Amino acid sequence: ARKGIVAPPLLIVGAVVVGLIVLLLATGNLNFTAKFTNNGSEQNQSSGVQEKIKELTGSSVEMAPEPFSSSQFGFSIGYPKDWKVRSETSGVTFYLPSSAGADEADAMVIVNTAPLGELKGSKLATIADLQKVQLKKQFSGMTVVKEGAIKVGDVEAYEIEFTANIKGENMHTRYVTLTSDTSLFGILASANEGMWDKYKGHLSKSLDSFKLL
């Protein structure tokens, strides 16, 4: 049987930054599949390179006909066709179900929001530094791959890409922070490390479609 990665149950605390991290992990309480399929078929080198480019850029990803949109949460975002949507009190999880089990996911995007509160007016890099401290506390062996200012759609954001271990399984994640006038948004796009190359383009295409309402 496949093992999986599951976000640990955590208590929500009062601080905005800690609270948002906790909400993200609690919302994404799905297992990540720990194995990936290899069909064993041989492809010619040219075809393989082209397919790899499509995977990494997301150009071959077919999106759902309509993006998810919520005036309550204040955002809209596209997600790949055949992915499932699960709404929570503080945000939404989009995930690709796995054949490994009902509560297993091969990849997921979690979008959570919290009131900006005392962080209003703070630089995104400052907020991200605070969140990075909390991420390191929650994820065992967290290693930052890269970080810096990016744009998500037409919105200024800050990204921390990292690898980490949860209950013995390795995961690869892009964590993106951005704000509106009143809210703090955290977007966590993850896949099992062994499936990262396969679903990296799916996650990127979803992130790039994010819009504030």
Side-chain angles (χ1 to χ4, degrees):
R2 286 180 176 177
K3 294 161 62 183
I5 303 172
V6 61
L10 300 166
L11 295 176
I12 297 176
V13 297
V16 175
V17 168
V18 180
L20 184 63
I21 298 297
V22 169
L23 287 171
L24 279 165
L25 296 180
T27 303
N29 197 23
L30 291 169
N31 292 332
F32 281 94
T33 55
K35 297 180 181 178
F36 55 101
T37 302
N38 185 346
N39 60 21
S41 63
E42 294 293 330
Q43 294 182 334
N44 64 60
Q45 186 174 3
S46 176
S47 174
V49 169
Q50 291 302 317
E51 288 304 311
K52 177 59 68 175
I53 290 172
K54 287 181 179 180
E55 281 184 9
L56 295 178
T57 61
S59 61
S60 63
V61 178
E62 186 177 356
M63 303 296 278
E66 296 292 332
F68 173 88
S69 183
S70 170
S71 55
Q72 175 190 351
F73 296 133
F75 71 87
S76 70
I77 189 171
Y79 58 95
K81 184 182 177 183
D82 299 329
W83 283 37
K84 302 296 184 184
V85 181
R86 190 174 73 183
S87 291
E88 308 286 346
T89 5
S90 59
V92 187
T93 300
F94 307 89
Y95 65 98
L96 175 62
S98 170
S99 58
D103 294 325
E104 301 262 348
D106 286 345
M108 64 169 63
V109 174
I110 308 168
V111 186
N112 268 14
T113 180
L116 193 53
E118 62 192 25
L119 295 175
K120 188 174 178 66
S122 299
K123 293 182 178 179
L124 284 173
T126 302
I127 297 174
D129 281 343
L130 294 171
Q131 291 177 323
K132 187 162 54 176
V133 171
Q134 295 305 319
L135 288 167
K136 286 183 175 179
K137 289 180 180 179
Q138 305 302 341
F139 290 100
S140 173
M142 177 184 168
T143 301
V144 175
V145 176
K146 64 179 180 180
E147 65 176 294
I150 63 168
K151 271 201 169 184
V152 176
D154 59 356
V155 181
E156 299 290 340
Y158 194 94
E159 176 184 15
I160 303 170
E161 182 177 337
F162 65 91
T163 58
N165 186 282
I166 294 183
K167 295 190 174 180
E169 298 299 335
N170 296 323
M171 60 181 285
H172 198 135
T173 297
R174 291 180 63 187
Y175 179 75
V176 176
T177 300
L178 54 96
T179 62
S180 66
D181 290 340
T182 58
S183 298
L184 173 64
F185 293 86
I187 309 174
L188 190 136
S190 295
N192 184 274
E193 181 69 22
M195 293 184 171
W196 180 250
D197 282 346
K198 183 175 182 178
Y199 294 116
K200 179 179 180 179
H202 296 67
L203 300 173
S204 293
K205 198 160 185 178
S206 184
L207 281 171
D208 289 344
S209 70
F210 182 91
K211 294 179 180 177
L212 293 174
L213 299 179

